[in-house]
Amino acid sequence: RNSRITIKLDGISFNSGKNLQYYYRISNIDSNWKDLPGAELLLENMRPGKYNLEFICSLRENSRQSEITGFTLVVLKPWYQKNITIILGILLLGLLFYFILRWQSRKVEYRENLKREQALHIMELEHTALKSQMNPHFIFNCLTSIQHLIISDKNEEANDYLVQFANIVRKSLELSDTSFISIEDEKQFIEDYLSLELLRFTGQFTYEVIVADSIEAAAIFIPPMLLQPIVENAVKHGVTKSDDQLGQILVSFEKEKGCIKCIVKDNGVGRQARKELSSISKGKKSYGLEFVQKRLQNADKPESNKSVFIVNDLVSADGKAIGTEVILLLPYKTI
């Protein structure tokens, strides 16, 4: 930008060398000749490009002049104006911008992951607290059943019940330490529980637990201790309250929309009759379904797939209650 170019001229005249006048022009820019005050041409602040410089000299006393002579002057761009430099500069700025954005993105991602981990930790603590509430509830109901058998002088049945009760309590305690169990283990736990209830309500109902053929029961895991309160509700408030028919409980596992669909169906008296019976038995609040709903709401906090809890009243063609169906859509994991 601040370059200076000095061109010295030297004309030869044998008669009057001191009377020489020099002229120049840049022929590719201006065709007019310009005179020089001396024998030097000073060029400053030349822009990059090619310049065709031409010179002549003449005698001041007459019109004689020399032939045109000249050369091409090339002014190069400074390094910071070269294309490769500009391209490299753009690339460096782009890389700098990319790394700044990546750093900001990772910073935001770290904060989000930290929040997610904290939310998961809180969820696990709440989840454990709810399960710890469910275990005493389950144990209380079982002990009540044993008490009923003893009062009824069914000591042998009470002893059998106590043995199975000890086994199922051990399993329920094991389930309290896990966030997910296999459908195979859940199926076995439900069957053990129903067989336990049959000792108390002998001959009052039958049951069946079915896993769809499309489900690999040992490799698919769902949250534990969600079905047991629903099955318990079907036994104690549904099929055992019906005097005119044998109770039937069906528990099934299916795959649906990326979830495990669990269905508990009974042919009991229906929810309306249950409400009427509950109003007679004052002070006996059913906590099981309340715990299930709280756990599902709690589990939905960090998950994108929402759990679904649906209760359907089953009615006959003439509008008579013929049972209740509870549907759970649960997230699952595989191994």
Side-chain angles (χ1 to χ4, degrees), residues 50-294:
K50 290 184 178 182
Y51 299 90
N52 297 327
L53 292 170
E54 295 181 341
F55 303 92
I56 60 173
C57 64
S58 65
L59 293 171
R60 289 188 177 90
E61 291 86 357
N62 54 52
S63 59
R64 292 178 61 188
Q65 64 182 27
S66 66
E67 293 181 356
I68 298 174
T69 186
F71 58 89
T72 299
L73 175 65
V74 178
V75 179
L76 300 176
K77 291 181 179 180
W79 66 269
Y80 53 84
Q81 290 184 357
K82 292 182 180 179
N83 292 336
I84 185 64
T85 305
I86 294 173
I87 293 172
L88 288 175
I90 293 173
L91 288 175
L92 287 174
L93 286 175
L95 285 173
L96 180 61
F97 186 66
Y98 166 76
F99 283 118
I100 291 175
L101 284 180
R102 188 175 180 183
W103 176 75
Q104 289 286 353
S105 176
R106 287 189 173 183
K107 189 175 180 181
V108 172
E109 185 179 357
Y110 172 77
R111 289 177 179 173
E112 291 299 321
N113 288 337
L114 187 61
K115 289 180 181 178
R116 191 178 298 110
E117 288 176 2
Q118 291 173 343
L120 284 171
H121 182 63
I122 293 172
M123 184 274 291
E124 285 294 334
L125 292 176
E126 294 176 353
H127 198 60
T128 302
L130 286 172
K131 285 194 292 186
S132 66
Q133 286 179 298
M134 290 181 66
N135 281 330
H137 168 72
F138 167 71
I139 293 171
F140 172 80
N141 288 335
C142 288
L143 290 175
T144 302
S145 297
I146 296 173
Q147 182 187 39
H148 174 78
L149 290 172
I150 294 174
I151 292 174
S152 303
D153 290 328
K154 298 179 180 179
N155 295 328
E156 186 175 347
E157 289 89 340
N159 182 67
D160 292 339
Y161 195 103
L162 189 60
V163 172
Q164 291 195 36
F165 168 69
N167 182 56
I168 203 169
V169 166
R170 179 181 58 81
K171 288 185 178 180
S172 68
L173 291 175
E174 290 174 355
L175 296 181
S176 296
D177 292 331
T178 60
S179 298
F180 285 83
I181 65 166
S182 68
I183 292 180
E184 183 177 57
D185 289 339
E186 181 73 8
K187 175 178 180 293
Q188 185 62 52
F189 182 78
I190 295 300
E191 289 177 338
D192 290 344
Y193 170 75
L194 286 170
S195 67
L196 185 66
E197 288 290 61
L198 267 179
L199 291 177
R200 177 183 176 188
F201 302 106
T202 304
Q204 294 190 40
F205 71 91
T206 62
Y207 67 87
E208 187 176 10
V209 183
I210 301 173
V211 177
D213 294 337
S214 60
I215 295 178
E216 190 176 351
I220 295 180
F221 291 74
I222 59 175
M225 294 294 290
L226 286 172
L227 289 178
Q228 185 274 328
I230 299 172
V231 174
E232 176 187 318
N233 202 60
V235 172
K236 295 195 174 182
H237 303 292
V239 296
T240 60
K241 300 297 182 181
S242 178
D243 298 327
D244 58 348
Q245 65 178 349
L246 179 66
Q248 295 177 349
I249 296 177
L250 174 64
V251 181
S252 62
F253 298 86
E254 306 169 6
K255 268 188 178 181
E256 182 176 303
K257 298 179 180 178
C259 295
I260 296 297
K261 183 178 182 181
C262 308
I263 303 175
V264 178
K265 185 186 295 186
D266 67 66
N267 66 336
V269 296
R271 285 194 295 174
Q272 183 59 39
R274 294 181 195 183
K275 289 180 182 178
E276 293 173 0
L277 291 169
S278 297
S279 64
I280 296 173
S281 302
K282 295 181 179 180
K284 293 185 178 179
K285 182 179 179 181
S286 177
Y287 291 96
L289 294 183
E290 181 181 339
F291 288 148
V292 171
Q293 290 174 322
K294 284 182 179 180

